[in-house]
Amino acid sequence: MSIDPTQDTVPTPATLEHRSHPFVRFLRSSPGAFLILGFFLSVVIGLSIYGGYRAGVTERDHIAATAQFLEVRRQYDLAIEDLAAGRPAMAIQRLEFILTAEPNFPSAAQRYNDLQATTRAPTATPTPLPTPTQVVTVQDAPKVLAEAQAAINAKDWDAAIQKINALRFGAPSYEPLRVNNLLYTALRNRGVNTIQTGKLELGLTDLDEASKIGSLDTEALQYQQWATIYINGVSYWGLNWGRTTRDFDLLYKLAPNFRDTKTRARDAHLTYASILIGKNDSCNAALEYAAAFAVENNQVTDDRRKAAEEACKASGGSVSTKTP
């Protein structure tokens, strides 16, 4: 039987073996193939391990940078408060710490130079400030975690946060869930306490950081809300009395005993009323006097309200609604 050369033929294994590349035949036939494959696998595994190491280093550096920046920013805010409260020596110490940790922190160098030029810091032993980071190794982690827990139990929130941040930098993989829970507790409590002492911006910063770890409880949310409204009201003080009175009216309804909310609500309405009287807007002035009287019963305020109402009626207006 003849074979038609025009028909396709199926190559046999021997034919394939003959046609294949010499290197392929080497891999199939020689024990050296296992060595080459092992080499390539070693390279791949090595690259994977190196990539994981670099990712871990990057994460650790990020944690460290974030923790240090938050502490530096906190110290800068405290330095500004020290200046406002007439404590320039303490402000200088804080600025020195900031410039050591973050030499390029905005405005720190300028403020420090200005203070140095106008103030002589006392030579008394300075109040110790926290170092940027505490060096913690994996071996130290259990001890540092126990110290952080002890600080939490003692309600020393500053020490607890410093310990926890050092632990997160030095041993980021050590009991991360427990470490985060401790950090949340410390930030949450320091935030509330700081707001209670009147340092609203700093307290809000702590609560904001705590909320990134877990949901804030009802009390913390209340202080966060109250502080935010208070700051907004103060920011408009003397600039927009209508906005100021609305903010402090709201805060007075929510938390009348929060700081000097009652006094501010009353004074805002009285000041706004006086401005409206000066603009011959007695109708709206009467409403502001009435609002001030609702905050604090005062005969002088009530007399002014009555006078404004009479002036409003004489002009043909009404005190039931505000005029445009």
PDB file of all heavy atoms in Angstrom, residues 115-152:
ATOM      1  N   LEU A 115      11.010  83.509  70.053  1.00  0.00           N
ATOM      2  CA  LEU A 115      10.966  83.403  71.511  1.00  0.00           C
ATOM      3  C   LEU A 115      12.353  83.588  72.116  1.00  0.00           C
ATOM      4  O   LEU A 115      12.515  84.237  73.156  1.00  0.00           O
ATOM      5  CB  LEU A 115      10.398  82.047  71.921  1.00  0.00           C
ATOM      6  CG  LEU A 115       8.877  81.924  71.913  1.00  0.00           C
ATOM      7  CD1 LEU A 115       8.462  80.475  72.160  1.00  0.00           C
ATOM      8  CD2 LEU A 115       8.260  82.817  72.976  1.00  0.00           C
ATOM      9  N   GLN A 116      13.355  83.012  71.484  1.00  0.00           N
ATOM     10  CA  GLN A 116      14.723  83.134  71.986  1.00  0.00           C
ATOM     11  C   GLN A 116      15.183  84.591  71.978  1.00  0.00           C
ATOM     12  O   GLN A 116      15.971  85.014  72.828  1.00  0.00           O
ATOM     13  CB  GLN A 116      15.679  82.280  71.146  1.00  0.00           C
ATOM     14  CG  GLN A 116      15.537  80.786  71.380  1.00  0.00           C
ATOM     15  CD  GLN A 116      16.129  80.342  72.708  1.00  0.00           C
ATOM     16  OE1 GLN A 116      15.786  80.866  73.763  1.00  0.00           O
ATOM     17  NE2 GLN A 116      17.033  79.377  72.660  1.00  0.00           N
ATOM     18  N   ALA A 117      14.690  85.333  71.007  1.00  0.00           N
ATOM     19  CA  ALA A 117      15.109  86.734  70.891  1.00  0.00           C
ATOM     20  C   ALA A 117      14.429  87.632  71.926  1.00  0.00           C
ATOM     21  O   ALA A 117      14.942  88.702  72.244  1.00  0.00           O
ATOM     22  CB  ALA A 117      14.806  87.246  69.482  1.00  0.00           C
ATOM     23  N   THR A 118      13.288  87.212  72.423  1.00  0.00           N
ATOM     24  CA  THR A 118      12.521  88.072  73.334  1.00  0.00           C
ATOM     25  C   THR A 118      12.411  87.523  74.741  1.00  0.00           C
ATOM     26  O   THR A 118      11.963  88.235  75.642  1.00  0.00           O
ATOM     27  CB  THR A 118      11.103  88.276  72.783  1.00  0.00           C
ATOM     28  OG1 THR A 118      10.463  86.995  72.630  1.00  0.00           O
ATOM     29  CG2 THR A 118      11.145  88.969  71.428  1.00  0.00           C
ATOM     30  N   THR A 119      12.804  86.262  74.952  1.00  0.00           N
ATOM     31  CA  THR A 119      12.594  85.634  76.255  1.00  0.00           C
ATOM     32  C   THR A 119      13.845  84.905  76.684  1.00  0.00           C
ATOM     33  O   THR A 119      14.491  84.239  75.883  1.00  0.00           O
ATOM     34  CB  THR A 119      11.433  84.621  76.184  1.00  0.00           C
ATOM     35  OG1 THR A 119      10.283  85.285  75.666  1.00  0.00           O
ATOM     36  CG2 THR A 119      11.109  84.062  77.565  1.00  0.00           C
ATOM     37  N   ARG A 120      14.139  84.996  77.926  1.00  0.00           N
ATOM     38  CA  ARG A 120      15.235  84.230  78.509  1.00  0.00           C
ATOM     39  C   ARG A 120      14.647  83.087  79.309  1.00  0.00           C
ATOM     40  O   ARG A 120      13.975  83.302  80.309  1.00  0.00           O
ATOM     41  CB  ARG A 120      16.090  85.102  79.431  1.00  0.00           C
ATOM     42  CG  ARG A 120      16.900  86.152  78.695  1.00  0.00           C
ATOM     43  CD  ARG A 120      17.806  86.898  79.652  1.00  0.00           C
ATOM     44  NE  ARG A 120      18.620  87.888  78.965  1.00  0.00           N
ATOM     45  CZ  ARG A 120      19.497  88.677  79.578  1.00  0.00           C
ATOM     46  NH1 ARG A 120      19.670  88.575  80.886  1.00  0.00           N
ATOM     47  NH2 ARG A 120      20.198  89.558  78.879  1.00  0.00           N
ATOM     48  N   ALA A 121      14.891  81.899  78.846  1.00  0.00           N
ATOM     49  CA  ALA A 121      14.348  80.730  79.532  1.00  0.00           C
ATOM     50  C   ALA A 121      15.081  80.528  80.849  1.00  0.00           C
ATOM     51  O   ALA A 121      16.295  80.711  80.935  1.00  0.00           O
ATOM     52  CB  ALA A 121      14.503  79.483  78.660  1.00  0.00           C
ATOM     53  N   PRO A 122      14.389  80.167  81.935  1.00  0.00           N
ATOM     54  CA  PRO A 122      15.030  79.932  83.228  1.00  0.00           C
ATOM     55  C   PRO A 122      15.952  78.721  83.168  1.00  0.00           C
ATOM     56  O   PRO A 122      15.806  77.844  82.324  1.00  0.00           O
ATOM     57  CB  PRO A 122      13.831  79.668  84.165  1.00  0.00           C
ATOM     58  CG  PRO A 122      12.751  79.173  83.263  1.00  0.00           C
ATOM     59  CD  PRO A 122      12.936  79.902  81.972  1.00  0.00           C
ATOM     60  N   THR A 123      16.893  78.691  84.083  1.00  0.00           N
ATOM     61  CA  THR A 123      17.852  77.597  84.106  1.00  0.00           C
ATOM     62  C   THR A 123      17.386  76.448  84.988  1.00  0.00           C
ATOM     63  O   THR A 123      18.135  75.506  85.227  1.00  0.00           O
ATOM     64  CB  THR A 123      19.197  78.095  84.640  1.00  0.00           C
ATOM     65  OG1 THR A 123      18.995  78.671  85.950  1.00  0.00           O
ATOM     66  CG2 THR A 123      19.788  79.142  83.715  1.00  0.00           C
ATOM     67  N   ALA A 124      16.165  76.515  85.485  1.00  0.00           N
ATOM     68  CA  ALA A 124      15.648  75.441  86.318  1.00  0.00           C
ATOM     69  C   ALA A 124      15.527  74.165  85.506  1.00  0.00           C
ATOM     70  O   ALA A 124      15.497  74.181  84.271  1.00  0.00           O
ATOM     71  CB  ALA A 124      14.274  75.830  86.876  1.00  0.00           C
ATOM     72  N   THR A 125      15.467  73.041  86.227  1.00  0.00           N
ATOM     73  CA  THR A 125      15.350  71.751  85.551  1.00  0.00           C
ATOM     74  C   THR A 125      14.080  71.722  84.713  1.00  0.00           C
ATOM     75  O   THR A 125      12.982  71.932  85.248  1.00  0.00           O
ATOM     76  CB  THR A 125      15.306  70.614  86.580  1.00  0.00           C
ATOM     77  OG1 THR A 125      16.486  70.698  87.382  1.00  0.00           O
ATOM     78  CG2 THR A 125      15.240  69.263  85.880  1.00  0.00           C
ATOM     79  N   PRO A 126      14.179  71.501  83.421  1.00  0.00           N
ATOM     80  CA  PRO A 126      12.985  71.524  82.571  1.00  0.00           C
ATOM     81  C   PRO A 126      12.105  70.312  82.803  1.00  0.00           C
ATOM     82  O   PRO A 126      12.577  69.249  83.227  1.00  0.00           O
ATOM     83  CB  PRO A 126      13.571  71.513  81.146  1.00  0.00           C
ATOM     84  CG  PRO A 126      14.887  70.823  81.305  1.00  0.00           C
ATOM     85  CD  PRO A 126      15.398  71.222  82.661  1.00  0.00           C
ATOM     86  N   THR A 127      10.840  70.489  82.506  1.00  0.00           N
ATOM     87  CA  THR A 127       9.915  69.371  82.571  1.00  0.00           C
ATOM     88  C   THR A 127      10.251  68.388  81.462  1.00  0.00           C
ATOM     89  O   THR A 127      10.359  68.782  80.302  1.00  0.00           O
ATOM     90  CB  THR A 127       8.467  69.857  82.393  1.00  0.00           C
ATOM     91  OG1 THR A 127       8.193  70.811  83.405  1.00  0.00           O
ATOM     92  CG2 THR A 127       7.494  68.692  82.484  1.00  0.00           C
ATOM     93  N   PRO A 128      10.477  67.120  81.779  1.00  0.00           N
ATOM     94  CA  PRO A 128      10.879  66.158  80.740  1.00  0.00           C
ATOM     95  C   PRO A 128       9.789  65.980  79.706  1.00  0.00           C
ATOM     96  O   PRO A 128       8.608  65.888  80.036  1.00  0.00           O
ATOM     97  CB  PRO A 128      11.121  64.862  81.530  1.00  0.00           C
ATOM     98  CG  PRO A 128      10.316  65.029  82.784  1.00  0.00           C
ATOM     99  CD  PRO A 128      10.337  66.490  83.088  1.00  0.00           C
ATOM    100  N   LEU A 129      10.197  65.959  78.448  1.00  0.00           N
ATOM    101  CA  LEU A 129       9.270  65.735  77.356  1.00  0.00           C
ATOM    102  C   LEU A 129       9.525  64.359  76.757  1.00  0.00           C
ATOM    103  O   LEU A 129      10.637  63.834  76.839  1.00  0.00           O
ATOM    104  CB  LEU A 129       9.460  66.810  76.268  1.00  0.00           C
ATOM    105  CG  LEU A 129       9.086  68.232  76.685  1.00  0.00           C
ATOM    106  CD1 LEU A 129       9.478  69.201  75.580  1.00  0.00           C
ATOM    107  CD2 LEU A 129       7.610  68.338  76.987  1.00  0.00           C
ATOM    108  N   PRO A 130       8.545  63.764  76.125  1.00  0.00           N
ATOM    109  CA  PRO A 130       8.731  62.425  75.570  1.00  0.00           C
ATOM    110  C   PRO A 130       9.716  62.434  74.420  1.00  0.00           C
ATOM    111  O   PRO A 130       9.766  63.369  73.637  1.00  0.00           O
ATOM    112  CB  PRO A 130       7.319  62.061  75.070  1.00  0.00           C
ATOM    113  CG  PRO A 130       6.635  63.374  74.867  1.00  0.00           C
ATOM    114  CD  PRO A 130       7.192  64.281  75.911  1.00  0.00           C
ATOM    115  N   THR A 131      10.529  61.400  74.343  1.00  0.00           N
ATOM    116  CA  THR A 131      11.433  61.254  73.211  1.00  0.00           C
ATOM    117  C   THR A 131      10.640  60.857  71.977  1.00  0.00           C
ATOM    118  O   THR A 131       9.530  60.339  72.088  1.00  0.00           O
ATOM    119  CB  THR A 131      12.472  60.163  73.518  1.00  0.00           C
ATOM    120  OG1 THR A 131      11.773  58.958  73.848  1.00  0.00           O
ATOM    121  CG2 THR A 131      13.359  60.566  74.680  1.00  0.00           C
ATOM    122  N   PRO A 132      11.171  61.130  70.782  1.00  0.00           N
ATOM    123  CA  PRO A 132      10.410  60.816  69.569  1.00  0.00           C
ATOM    124  C   PRO A 132       9.978  59.352  69.511  1.00  0.00           C
ATOM    125  O   PRO A 132       8.848  59.059  69.176  1.00  0.00           O
ATOM    126  CB  PRO A 132      11.398  61.156  68.449  1.00  0.00           C
ATOM    127  CG  PRO A 132      12.337  62.151  69.054  1.00  0.00           C
ATOM    128  CD  PRO A 132      12.443  61.784  70.500  1.00  0.00           C
ATOM    129  N   THR A 133      10.877  58.448  69.785  1.00  0.00           N
ATOM    130  CA  THR A 133      10.532  57.031  69.781  1.00  0.00           C
ATOM    131  C   THR A 133      11.373  56.310  70.808  1.00  0.00           C
ATOM    132  O   THR A 133      12.540  56.666  71.030  1.00  0.00           O
ATOM    133  CB  THR A 133      10.775  56.381  68.400  1.00  0.00           C
ATOM    134  OG1 THR A 133      12.130  56.628  68.017  1.00  0.00           O
ATOM    135  CG2 THR A 133       9.812  56.916  67.367  1.00  0.00           C
ATOM    136  N   GLN A 134      10.825  55.308  71.445  1.00  0.00           N
ATOM    137  CA  GLN A 134      11.571  54.451  72.347  1.00  0.00           C
ATOM    138  C   GLN A 134      12.011  53.231  71.560  1.00  0.00           C
ATOM    139  O   GLN A 134      11.215  52.629  70.849  1.00  0.00           O
ATOM    140  CB  GLN A 134      10.678  54.026  73.523  1.00  0.00           C
ATOM    141  CG  GLN A 134      11.327  53.023  74.458  1.00  0.00           C
ATOM    142  CD  GLN A 134      10.367  52.531  75.512  1.00  0.00           C
ATOM    143  OE1 GLN A 134       9.234  52.999  75.596  1.00  0.00           O
ATOM    144  NE2 GLN A 134      10.789  51.574  76.309  1.00  0.00           N
ATOM    145  N   VAL A 135      13.305  52.898  71.681  1.00  0.00           N
ATOM    146  CA  VAL A 135      13.814  51.758  70.928  1.00  0.00           C
ATOM    147  C   VAL A 135      13.303  50.472  71.577  1.00  0.00           C
ATOM    148  O   VAL A 135      13.586  50.186  72.735  1.00  0.00           O
ATOM    149  CB  VAL A 135      15.352  51.760  70.895  1.00  0.00           C
ATOM    150  CG1 VAL A 135      15.862  50.547  70.135  1.00  0.00           C
ATOM    151  CG2 VAL A 135      15.858  53.048  70.253  1.00  0.00           C
ATOM    152  N   VAL A 136      12.535  49.709  70.824  1.00  0.00           N
ATOM    153  CA  VAL A 136      11.954  48.462  71.323  1.00  0.00           C
ATOM    154  C   VAL A 136      12.312  47.341  70.350  1.00  0.00           C
ATOM    155  O   VAL A 136      12.131  47.489  69.137  1.00  0.00           O
ATOM    156  CB  VAL A 136      10.423  48.570  71.459  1.00  0.00           C
ATOM    157  CG1 VAL A 136       9.828  47.228  71.858  1.00  0.00           C
ATOM    158  CG2 VAL A 136      10.051  49.634  72.469  1.00  0.00           C
ATOM    159  N   THR A 137      12.813  46.248  70.875  1.00  0.00           N
ATOM    160  CA  THR A 137      13.090  45.070  70.059  1.00  0.00           C
ATOM    161  C   THR A 137      11.978  44.050  70.258  1.00  0.00           C
ATOM    162  O   THR A 137      11.135  44.196  71.148  1.00  0.00           O
ATOM    163  CB  THR A 137      14.434  44.445  70.447  1.00  0.00           C
ATOM    164  OG1 THR A 137      14.342  43.967  71.800  1.00  0.00           O
ATOM    165  CG2 THR A 137      15.551  45.480  70.357  1.00  0.00           C
ATOM    166  N   VAL A 138      11.997  43.018  69.426  1.00  0.00           N
ATOM    167  CA  VAL A 138      10.995  41.968  69.558  1.00  0.00           C
ATOM    168  C   VAL A 138      11.094  41.309  70.933  1.00  0.00           C
ATOM    169  O   VAL A 138      10.080  40.946  71.541  1.00  0.00           O
ATOM    170  CB  VAL A 138      11.177  40.917  68.439  1.00  0.00           C
ATOM    171  CG1 VAL A 138      10.209  39.760  68.631  1.00  0.00           C
ATOM    172  CG2 VAL A 138      10.979  41.560  67.065  1.00  0.00           C
ATOM    173  N   GLN A 139      12.307  41.194  71.447  1.00  0.00           N
ATOM    174  CA  GLN A 139      12.487  40.584  72.760  1.00  0.00           C
ATOM    175  C   GLN A 139      11.896  41.454  73.871  1.00  0.00           C
ATOM    176  O   GLN A 139      11.460  40.953  74.911  1.00  0.00           O
ATOM    177  CB  GLN A 139      13.985  40.340  73.033  1.00  0.00           C
ATOM    178  CG  GLN A 139      14.618  39.253  72.171  1.00  0.00           C
ATOM    179  CD  GLN A 139      14.878  39.712  70.734  1.00  0.00           C
ATOM    180  OE1 GLN A 139      14.869  40.907  70.463  1.00  0.00           O
ATOM    181  NE2 GLN A 139      15.076  38.768  69.828  1.00  0.00           N
ATOM    182  N   ASP A 140      11.918  42.766  73.653  1.00  0.00           N
ATOM    183  CA  ASP A 140      11.380  43.693  74.658  1.00  0.00           C
ATOM    184  C   ASP A 140       9.861  43.788  74.622  1.00  0.00           C
ATOM    185  O   ASP A 140       9.252  44.348  75.539  1.00  0.00           O
ATOM    186  CB  ASP A 140      11.939  45.110  74.434  1.00  0.00           C
ATOM    187  CG  ASP A 140      13.448  45.162  74.587  1.00  0.00           C
ATOM    188  OD1 ASP A 140      13.970  44.372  75.388  1.00  0.00           O
ATOM    189  OD2 ASP A 140      14.072  45.995  73.912  1.00  0.00           O
ATOM    190  N   ALA A 141       9.243  43.310  73.552  1.00  0.00           N
ATOM    191  CA  ALA A 141       7.820  43.550  73.313  1.00  0.00           C
ATOM    192  C   ALA A 141       6.927  43.152  74.486  1.00  0.00           C
ATOM    193  O   ALA A 141       6.062  43.935  74.895  1.00  0.00           O
ATOM    194  CB  ALA A 141       7.379  42.837  72.033  1.00  0.00           C
ATOM    195  N   PRO A 142       7.065  41.945  75.070  1.00  0.00           N
ATOM    196  CA  PRO A 142       6.186  41.580  76.187  1.00  0.00           C
ATOM    197  C   PRO A 142       6.303  42.546  77.363  1.00  0.00           C
ATOM    198  O   PRO A 142       5.289  42.924  77.969  1.00  0.00           O
ATOM    199  CB  PRO A 142       6.662  40.172  76.566  1.00  0.00           C
ATOM    200  CG  PRO A 142       7.304  39.642  75.324  1.00  0.00           C
ATOM    201  CD  PRO A 142       7.952  40.827  74.692  1.00  0.00           C
ATOM    202  N   LYS A 143       7.529  42.988  77.665  1.00  0.00           N
ATOM    203  CA  LYS A 143       7.749  43.907  78.783  1.00  0.00           C
ATOM    204  C   LYS A 143       7.108  45.260  78.498  1.00  0.00           C
ATOM    205  O   LYS A 143       6.442  45.852  79.356  1.00  0.00           O
ATOM    206  CB  LYS A 143       9.250  44.063  79.021  1.00  0.00           C
ATOM    207  CG  LYS A 143       9.623  45.066  80.106  1.00  0.00           C
ATOM    208  CD  LYS A 143      11.132  45.074  80.303  1.00  0.00           C
ATOM    209  CE  LYS A 143      11.554  46.131  81.326  1.00  0.00           C
ATOM    210  NZ  LYS A 143      11.377  47.508  80.812  1.00  0.00           N
ATOM    211  N   VAL A 144       7.303  45.775  77.280  1.00  0.00           N
ATOM    212  CA  VAL A 144       6.753  47.085  76.930  1.00  0.00           C
ATOM    213  C   VAL A 144       5.225  47.031  76.904  1.00  0.00           C
ATOM    214  O   VAL A 144       4.552  47.972  77.341  1.00  0.00           O
ATOM    215  CB  VAL A 144       7.299  47.554  75.568  1.00  0.00           C
ATOM    216  CG1 VAL A 144       6.658  48.871  75.149  1.00  0.00           C
ATOM    217  CG2 VAL A 144       8.819  47.707  75.637  1.00  0.00           C
ATOM    218  N   LEU A 145       4.676  45.942  76.410  1.00  0.00           N
ATOM    219  CA  LEU A 145       3.215  45.801  76.403  1.00  0.00           C
ATOM    220  C   LEU A 145       2.671  45.799  77.828  1.00  0.00           C
ATOM    221  O   LEU A 145       1.630  46.416  78.106  1.00  0.00           O
ATOM    222  CB  LEU A 145       2.808  44.517  75.677  1.00  0.00           C
ATOM    223  CG  LEU A 145       1.300  44.277  75.537  1.00  0.00           C
ATOM    224  CD1 LEU A 145       0.652  45.414  74.762  1.00  0.00           C
ATOM    225  CD2 LEU A 145       1.039  42.949  74.834  1.00  0.00           C
ATOM    226  N   ALA A 146       3.364  45.113  78.737  1.00  0.00           N
ATOM    227  CA  ALA A 146       2.938  45.100  80.138  1.00  0.00           C
ATOM    228  C   ALA A 146       3.024  46.504  80.737  1.00  0.00           C
ATOM    229  O   ALA A 146       2.151  46.918  81.520  1.00  0.00           O
ATOM    230  CB  ALA A 146       3.802  44.127  80.935  1.00  0.00           C
ATOM    231  N   GLU A 147       4.050  47.260  80.369  1.00  0.00           N
ATOM    232  CA  GLU A 147       4.187  48.640  80.853  1.00  0.00           C
ATOM    233  C   GLU A 147       3.061  49.520  80.312  1.00  0.00           C
ATOM    234  O   GLU A 147       2.540  50.390  81.028  1.00  0.00           O
ATOM    235  CB  GLU A 147       5.543  49.190  80.446  1.00  0.00           C
ATOM    236  CG  GLU A 147       6.719  48.531  81.152  1.00  0.00           C
ATOM    237  CD  GLU A 147       8.060  48.980  80.598  1.00  0.00           C
ATOM    238  OE1 GLU A 147       8.075  49.635  79.524  1.00  0.00           O
ATOM    239  OE2 GLU A 147       9.093  48.667  81.223  1.00  0.00           O
ATOM    240  N   ALA A 148       2.706  49.300  79.051  1.00  0.00           N
ATOM    241  CA  ALA A 148       1.597  50.067  78.467  1.00  0.00           C
ATOM    242  C   ALA A 148       0.290  49.755  79.190  1.00  0.00           C
ATOM    243  O   ALA A 148      -0.504  50.663  79.476  1.00  0.00           O
ATOM    244  CB  ALA A 148       1.477  49.755  76.976  1.00  0.00           C
ATOM    245  N   GLN A 149       0.062  48.480  79.486  1.00  0.00           N
ATOM    246  CA  GLN A 149      -1.143  48.093  80.207  1.00  0.00           C
ATOM    247  C   GLN A 149      -1.168  48.709  81.612  1.00  0.00           C
ATOM    248  O   GLN A 149      -2.217  49.175  82.083  1.00  0.00           O
ATOM    249  CB  GLN A 149      -1.232  46.570  80.312  1.00  0.00           C
ATOM    250  CG  GLN A 149      -2.478  46.047  81.013  1.00  0.00           C
ATOM    251  CD  GLN A 149      -3.742  46.365  80.246  1.00  0.00           C
ATOM    252  OE1 GLN A 149      -3.963  45.850  79.160  1.00  0.00           O
ATOM    253  NE2 GLN A 149      -4.577  47.238  80.799  1.00  0.00           N
ATOM    254  N   ALA A 150      -0.015  48.735  82.265  1.00  0.00           N
ATOM    255  CA  ALA A 150       0.068  49.345  83.593  1.00  0.00           C
ATOM    256  C   ALA A 150      -0.245  50.838  83.527  1.00  0.00           C
ATOM    257  O   ALA A 150      -0.920  51.385  84.413  1.00  0.00           O
ATOM    258  CB  ALA A 150       1.457  49.113  84.187  1.00  0.00           C
ATOM    259  N   ALA A 151       0.239  51.500  82.471  1.00  0.00           N
ATOM    260  CA  ALA A 151      -0.051  52.927  82.302  1.00  0.00           C
ATOM    261  C   ALA A 151      -1.541  53.150  82.060  1.00  0.00           C
ATOM    262  O   ALA A 151      -2.130  54.118  82.564  1.00  0.00           O
ATOM    263  CB  ALA A 151       0.769  53.491  81.145  1.00  0.00           C
ATOM    264  N   ILE A 152      -2.161  52.257  81.292  1.00  0.00           N
ATOM    265  CA  ILE A 152      -3.610  52.343  81.070  1.00  0.00           C
ATOM    266  C   ILE A 152      -4.344  52.207  82.403  1.00  0.00           C
ATOM    267  O   ILE A 152      -5.258  52.980  82.712  1.00  0.00           O
ATOM    268  CB  ILE A 152      -4.079  51.239  80.105  1.00  0.00           C
ATOM    269  CG1 ILE A 152      -3.529  51.481  78.689  1.00  0.00           C
ATOM    270  CG2 ILE A 152      -5.605  51.135  80.088  1.00  0.00           C
ATOM    271  CD1 ILE A 152      -4.218  52.556  77.920  1.00  0.00           C
TER     272      ILE A 152
END
